[in-house]
Amino acid sequence: MLKVEGINVYYGNIQALKGVSLEVNKGEIVTLIGANGAGKSTLLKTISGLLKPKQGGILFENQGIGGKAAQGIVKMGISQVPEGRRVFANMSVEENLELGAFLRKDKAGIKEDFNKVYEIFPRLKERLKQQAGTLSGGEQQMLAMGRALMARPKLLLLDEPSMGLAPLLVKTIFRIITEINAAGTTILLVEQNAHMALSIANRAYVIETGRVVLSGSAQELHASEQVKMAYLGGH
Ligand code: ATP
């Protein structure tokens, strides 16, 4: 479904991604793990069109998207839930969700997706008129995910959905990610919580200072000494 082929991405003179290649197949949950500053967010932003690769290519369903504008990429079926959630704080929950569907014209489908989002996140349904900025951290994460789902993506990019959440809520969010996947959405998940990420993913890539240094099935990586030492606290 998604093929990233040897991309180099720069911020000015600083090279943040160095020849990164990865693949996500339809139906998978693929996770990208790595330390702070490794380049994980940069990779997601490049896939969603917010950054352009200087070299290399990105294919989505066999079409080149490396260099395409972000809006066009959303239309093709890729939605990103950014790090730190970034909901529109002064708008209501409902307005935030509506914005997720702003490129769509299929009214019936949009209504259907509102109902799906309420089913996945009953908490949001209870708070439709509440200002998004007054939601708890966990609720804002749910809203950011709900908003991305309102675009009816084929591929959902999640940037550290567990960040700053209490352990119980992290579990809930991860359960919801598996449910969204089971309902047919392919997922690329960036996480610092490697343990949780590997527990729900099919495959994983480890990224260090802008390079993919390891990849394999989630099971393989979970058992790898290198991953245990660096990302699983030695367990
Ligand atoms: P984190 O988990 O801390 O979010 P990350 O793996 O997502 O880390 P990136 O945010 O992709 O890492 O950053 C990769 C590198 O690019 C870092 O060295 C970072 O300082 C640099 N970088 C990121 N954004 C910018 C920017 N706007 N301008 C200059 N350098 C940047």
Side-chain angles (χ1 to χ4, degrees):
M1 178 178 242
L2 179 77
K3 236 184 212 176
V4 175
E5 295 174 325
I7 57 169
N8 293 327
V9 178
Y10 291 79
Y11 294 105
N13 292 326
I14 301 167
Q15 188 170 4
L17 295 181
K18 299 166 184 164
V20 168
S21 298
L22 66 80
E23 270 186 57
V24 181
N25 302 309
K26 193 169 189 291
E28 282 188 312
I29 298 180
V30 172
T31 185
L32 196 61
I33 54 187
N36 284 114
K40 306 179 298 296
S41 300
T42 302
L43 180 54
L44 289 196
K45 285 180 193 159
T46 310
I47 295 167
S48 60
L50 300 173
L51 296 168
K52 309 276 169 245
K54 197 163 184 186
Q55 285 93 25
I58 304 175
L59 294 174
F60 181 64
E61 297 187 318
N62 298 317
Q63 289 192 56
I65 59 166
K68 210 175 151 81
Q71 190 160 321
I73 292 176
V74 175
K75 267 196 177 156
M76 287 175 74
I78 301 180
S79 289
Q80 182 173 0
V81 181
E83 189 175 1
R85 320 195 248 273
R86 311 245 174 83
V87 296
F88 296 100
N90 296 324
M91 294 184 176
S92 69
V93 166
E94 193 171 26
E95 287 163 345
N96 269 272
L97 291 175
E98 274 164 13
L99 275 176
F102 89 107
L103 290 173
R104 296 174 58 183
K105 301 207 163 50
D106 55 323
K107 284 216 170 101
I110 293 172
K111 192 152 181 253
E112 218 174 87
D113 287 350
F114 262 115
N115 289 328
K116 266 191 210 157
V117 167
Y118 299 155
E119 230 171 80
I120 301 171
F121 302 108
R123 190 79 75 89
L124 295 182
K125 194 176 181 187
E126 292 162 14
R127 288 159 199 276
L128 283 184
K129 303 293 172 202
Q130 189 172 329
Q131 265 205 345
T134 65
L135 295 172
S136 73
E139 289 161 356
Q140 289 188 26
Q141 180 61 46
M142 293 175 192
L143 180 55
M145 288 169 71
R147 189 180 58 195
L149 289 175
M150 288 303 297
R152 202 179 271 195
K154 297 174 186 165
L155 174 64
L156 185 64
L157 310 176
L158 293 168
D159 199 347
E160 304 212 10
S162 78
M163 197 169 59
L165 302 185
L168 195 62
L169 209 50
V170 172
K171 274 201 177 153
T172 306
I173 292 289
F174 274 82
R175 177 180 48 77
I176 290 169
I177 295 170
T178 59
E179 286 171 9
I180 291 170
N181 175 250
T185 309
T186 305
I187 290 174
L188 178 56
L189 167 68
V190 160
E191 258 300 331
Q192 289 217 23
N193 189 335
H195 183 71
M196 287 298 282
L198 289 173
S199 74
I200 65 162
N202 303 104
R203 291 188 305 111
Y205 292 83
V206 177
I207 183 162
E208 279 176 10
T209 55
R211 291 180 206 280
V212 171
V213 293
L214 213 57
S215 63
S217 72
Q219 250 173 342
E220 277 163 6
L221 291 203
H222 211 279
S224 131
E225 285 306 316
Q226 196 180 339
V227 171
K228 278 189 197 167
M229 292 308 291
Y231 303 103
L232 298 172
H235 300 298

